[in-house]
Amino acid sequence: MPPPASDNSTVLSPGVLEIDLGALVANYRDICARAEGAQVGAAVKANAYGLGIEPVVKALQGAGCKRFFVATVTEGIELKTIARSAEVIVLNGLMPGDEGVFLEHRLVPVLNDMEQVERWRQAGQGAPCIIHVDTGMNRLGLAPEEAGALASNLHGLNLVEIMSHLACAGQIDHPQNAAQLALFNEVIPMYPYVRKSLANSAGVLLGPAYHFDAVRVGIALYGGNPTHGVANPFAPVVTAKARVLQQRWIDPPATIGYEALYTVDGRMRLATVAAGYADGLPTPLTNHGQGFVAGYHVPMVGRVSMDLITLDVTIASEDATTPGELIELIGPNVLLDQQADAGGLISYEVLTGLGRRFERHYSGG
Ligand SMILES: *Cc1c(COP(=O)(O)O)cnc(C)c1O
């Protein structure tokens, strides 16, 4: 028997996540121009930073992107079902026992230590691989000395690329950028026939010395600002709006929300809105974040709860904040980086958690 007809379509969503694939593609083309001569690959790990891997990958493929980076094997397998012909690279490496799965799904492993290198040499059947050299991040990758020793003993490995990853590229003047670049430049002459890759989004903005043959970009595609303290050159891609559930007038003395973290000091109109930390608004936004409605910025007051936030909307018209109306939480008026900064957060973590319960609208692309 078929299931009973669902009336979900008549239920008002708690919020709306709008993803502008046209802006995504514009950002991709912008990066291609900035990194001219280098192949631009897209980091689409964590469901394309929360935006939705399938529409994001299809839009980028339409713009000519052939190369995608994921973190895990599972993400790689999923991506191959969306984009069969794409080159899919698994950044987190080759766990013991996964060799067959990599081969079966034609996933390209990033080999992050000598043990992984030796395992792929044995089991990889000449399929392509990438070697990660650690130049100062100290998370993953071969030590530069190991990479140097390996260079003279590559038989059995179809090494297509050697990569490293910058730790501080978001700070233009950080001395570690030049230090990592110098170390990378010491290693790569030992690998004359393979491609080289160092830069993430922020690394692209550090200039041509960092571009090499290929760049790996994520946050810039999605409209985040890769660099601290300079204007964001990339177009916003994501707008998040959540619905007002209730509005009420509050007179002092009163406090708002869990732990009574906000004290009302004058008559205030409060809107309770259907978004909380389970929708990607982390608790550090408590008393610091903001929304935007009917021409006005409205501050978050009181602690962010799991499913709710409270905003002081006194300044906005009452009509604009009646139940069912939408309040912008990320978008053209509350920039992703602005909202993140307000809570001492980074744009990546806000994006990756955003709006899992919201209705999604994709446009452009
Ligand atoms: C996620 C990731 C990237 C992309 O970083 P962005 O800062 O989002 O551009 C590049 N390289 C590696 C190794 C990564 O893990």
Side-chain angles (χ1 to χ4, degrees):
M1 251 181 40
S6 158
D7 60 357
N8 274 352
S9 60
T10 65
V11 172
L12 207 56
S13 67
V16 179
L17 200 64
E18 295 166 0
I19 292 146
D20 182 348
L21 298 173
L24 172 84
V25 164
N27 289 337
Y28 172 75
R29 297 212 164 104
D30 181 339
I31 294 157
C32 289
R34 287 170 195 270
E36 203 194 330
Q39 184 180 12
V40 178
V44 295
K45 55 206 187 191
N47 195 28
Y49 291 36
L51 275 59
I53 191 163
E54 182 160 0
V56 163
V57 165
K58 291 198 161 149
L60 291 172
Q61 276 191 309
C65 184
K66 295 181 167 56
R67 181 169 229 230
F68 297 91
F69 295 87
V70 294
T72 70
V73 183
T74 310
E75 289 178 336
I77 293 169
E78 186 196 349
L79 179 45
K80 275 290 187 180
T81 67
I82 297 165
R84 278 193 69 75
S85 62
E87 183 186 4
V88 176
I89 297 155
V90 178
L91 290 165
N92 279 6
L94 182 70
M95 290 292 98
D98 283 353
E99 299 82 8
V101 178
F102 271 85
L103 288 173
E104 182 190 338
H105 295 275
R106 297 175 180 275
L107 304 173
V108 179
V110 173
L111 304 174
N112 283 312
D113 59 38
M114 280 308 296
E115 193 272 331
Q116 295 184 5
V117 169
E118 293 311 331
R119 240 177 328 104
W120 194 248
R121 205 200 296 267
Q122 295 304 315
Q125 299 176 10
C129 63
I130 292 176
I131 282 175
H132 184 174
V133 185
D134 181 15
T135 53
M137 184 71 133
N138 283 311
R139 299 188 310 188
L140 296 171
L142 277 65
E145 310 78 66
E146 290 176 313
L150 177 65
S152 56
N153 180 23
L154 289 174
H155 71 88
L157 287 170
N158 176 7
L159 180 63
V160 295
E161 188 163 310
I162 182 161
M163 63 167 268
S164 190
H165 193 38
L166 296 164
C168 305
Q171 292 164 260
I172 292 172
D173 296 328
H174 200 293
Q176 191 162 331
N177 296 327
Q180 288 194 256
L181 177 64
L183 199 46
F184 193 57
N185 274 323
E186 278 178 38
V187 173
I188 59 179
M190 297 184 253
Y191 289 86
Y193 304 115
V194 301
R195 295 147 42 107
K196 284 92 188 175
S197 173
L198 178 61
N200 59 354
S201 298
V204 170
L205 299 180
L206 291 178
Y210 289 81
H211 294 170
F212 296 95
D213 305 308
V215 299
R216 314 177 303 268
V217 297
I219 196 72
L221 293 173
Y222 311 121
N225 191 354
T227 311
H228 305 292
V230 304
N232 188 356
F234 300 104
V237 172
V238 179
T239 301
K241 297 174 184 161
R243 292 202 196 273
V244 176
L245 298 172
Q246 191 178 92
Q247 64 175 332
R248 60 173 68 205
W249 284 97
I250 300 186
D251 291 302
T255 62
I256 297 170
Y258 282 120
E259 318 296 340
L261 291 181
Y262 187 88
T263 302
V264 177
D265 60 7
R267 186 168 160 76
M268 155 192 300
R269 203 171 85 255
L270 190 73
T272 303
V273 169
Y277 55 79
D279 303 290
L281 301 171
T283 56
L285 291 173
T286 296
N287 291 337
H288 296 299
Q290 59 177 328
F292 183 87
V293 62
Y296 293 100
H297 288 97
V298 290
M300 291 186 197
V301 289
R303 216 192 75 177
V304 176
S305 319
M306 186 184 293
D307 318 299
L308 299 170
I309 52 171
T310 36
L311 296 148
D312 174 0
V313 295
T314 316
I315 193 172
S317 96
E318 237 172 297
D319 287 349
T321 56
T322 55
E325 292 295 325
L326 288 164
I327 295 190
E328 178 184 326
L329 299 171
I330 306 275
N333 303 292
V334 184
L335 298 176
L336 170 65
D337 286 274
Q338 235 178 335
Q339 189 74 290
D341 286 350
L345 303 159
I346 62 172
S347 58
Y348 299 71
E349 84 183 286
V350 174
L351 264 191
T352 51
L354 207 55
R356 274 187 288 263
R357 294 189 288 195
F358 291 4
E359 192 178 310
R360 282 171 183 243
H361 295 164
Y362 293 90
S363 64

